[in-house]
Amino acid sequence: MMGNEAAALVSAALAARKNAYVPYSGYPVGAAVLGEDGNIFTGCNVENVSYPAGMCAERNAIGSAVTAGYTSFQGIAVAGSDKGFTMPCGICRQVIAEFHIPVVIVAKDEDHYKIFDGSKLLPHAFEEGCLKTGERNG
């Protein structure tokens, strides 16, 4: 992923963060996923008074892309707190693993972000082969 693509993803994630619905935690998160053809899909976290019913920004962005027919991605950016780097939660890491998203960017702002290898965020992820063999990865 080139620097311009990373910057565009970070910018889109920061814009999506502004729309987060976070009346309980006050912790907005935005995400943007880049399709193989360069289209960007965004999502934000949406809380619910019944906490498990909430949705993370990453899964909302990926779900939006899948709804549009995309299942192959170049990368995803996550923008949470501007005071630190917000990493995807375990469930989001599993979804990132499902779609083999190769690049994960976590950003505080437009100028401060870190880039991670998506395949290393969830060692021993549960994958399709696990269903066939009955064994977990790793």
Side-chain angles (χ1 to χ4, degrees):
M1 175 175 297
M2 305 303 281
N4 291 341
E5 293 169 318
L9 268 185
V10 167
S11 181
L14 289 165
R17 180 174 72 182
K18 295 176 185 172
N19 294 325
Y21 177 74
V22 292
Y24 308 106
S25 73
Y27 195 88
V29 179
V33 65
L34 180 64
E36 285 295 332
D37 65 356
N39 280 324
I40 294 175
F41 297 87
T42 61
C44 61
N45 56 329
V46 179
E47 293 181 347
N48 189 289
V49 69
S50 174
Y51 286 102
M55 282 292 293
C56 295
E58 299 92 311
R59 288 182 286 140
N60 273 333
I62 293 167
S64 176
V66 170
T67 299
Y70 289 74
T71 57
S72 184
F73 306 103
Q74 296 181 52
I76 188 168
V78 181
S81 172
D82 59 1
K83 294 173 181 42
F85 295 101
T86 301
M87 294 297 293
C89 73
I91 294 170
C92 290
R93 291 177 191 213
Q94 179 62 49
V95 174
I96 289 166
E98 174 73 18
F99 290 98
H100 307 285
I101 300 177
V103 176
V104 177
I105 303 166
V106 294
K108 292 195 292 188
D109 56 44
E110 302 242 358
D111 298 319
H112 300 94
Y113 56 88
K114 295 181 179 184
I115 300 175
F116 295 90
D117 180 335
S119 69
K120 295 186 176 169
L121 285 185
L122 186 63
H124 314 290
F126 190 78
E127 296 175 338
E128 181 181 4
C130 301
L131 295 174
K132 295 175 182 170
T133 65
E135 293 183 20
R136 296 208 44 142
N137 182 1

